[in-house]
Amino acid sequence: QVQLVESGGGLVQPGGSLKLSCAASGFMFSFHAMSWYRQAPGKERELVAGISSAGGSTNYADSVKGRFTISRDNAKYTVYLQMNSLKPEDTAVYCCNRGGQNGYWGQGTQVTVSS
């Protein structure tokens, strides 16, 4: 069965960096586009970044452009989210996704940006 397992979240000061990982299994990873979403308390879930199956095409929410980078290693069945220049408003649970809103989700990893 499809499994997505995120890791790498934590507490970081404003201006700091974190790198999230999402380990995938149960499907042909290289065939599928992948995405990262986030949901902050009291807010709607939002798409943060997406990457095509081969990694040649990426897209980002305006709020993270220039600060976050999505990448993938198809040999390792893993998608990453490098987050730099973090802000308190980036605080959220970050989830890995395959297939959009009606697709498959990981359990999420908490990112807290606070001094």
Side-chain angles (χ1 to χ4, degrees):
Q1 69 278 21
V2 174
Q3 285 194 319
L4 301 170
V5 180
E6 301 93 337
S7 60
L11 173 64
V12 63
Q13 292 188 341
S17 297
L18 281 175
K19 186 173 184 177
L20 307 183
S21 300
C22 171
S25 61
F27 64 101
M28 289 298 294
F29 183 71
S30 61
F31 286 9
H32 295 273
M34 299 294 295
S35 301
W36 285 96
Y37 284 74
R38 69 184 180 187
Q39 188 165 21
K43 294 190 176 181
E44 296 283 325
R45 183 165 54 196
E46 65 169 335
L47 175 65
V48 175
I51 188 166
S52 60
S53 56
S57 178
T58 58
N59 61 280
Y60 298 93
D62 286 344
S63 58
V64 307
K65 278 180 184 175
R67 300 189 297 121
F68 290 12
T69 303
I70 188 170
S71 62
R72 65 191 294 161
D73 185 333
N74 284 349
K76 294 184 178 179
Y77 274 52
T78 302
V79 60
Y80 305 98
L81 186 68
Q82 176 68 48
M83 305 186 295
N84 298 329
S85 303
L86 282 161
K87 305 175 181 180
E89 51 264 44
D90 295 318
T91 295
V93 175
Y94 285 72
C95 290
C96 181
N97 171 270
R98 190 203 101 180
Q101 295 284 357
N102 295 322
Y104 296 92
W105 297 90
Q107 83 288 350
T109 186
Q110 176 70 46
V111 172
T112 302
V113 185
S114 175
S115 54

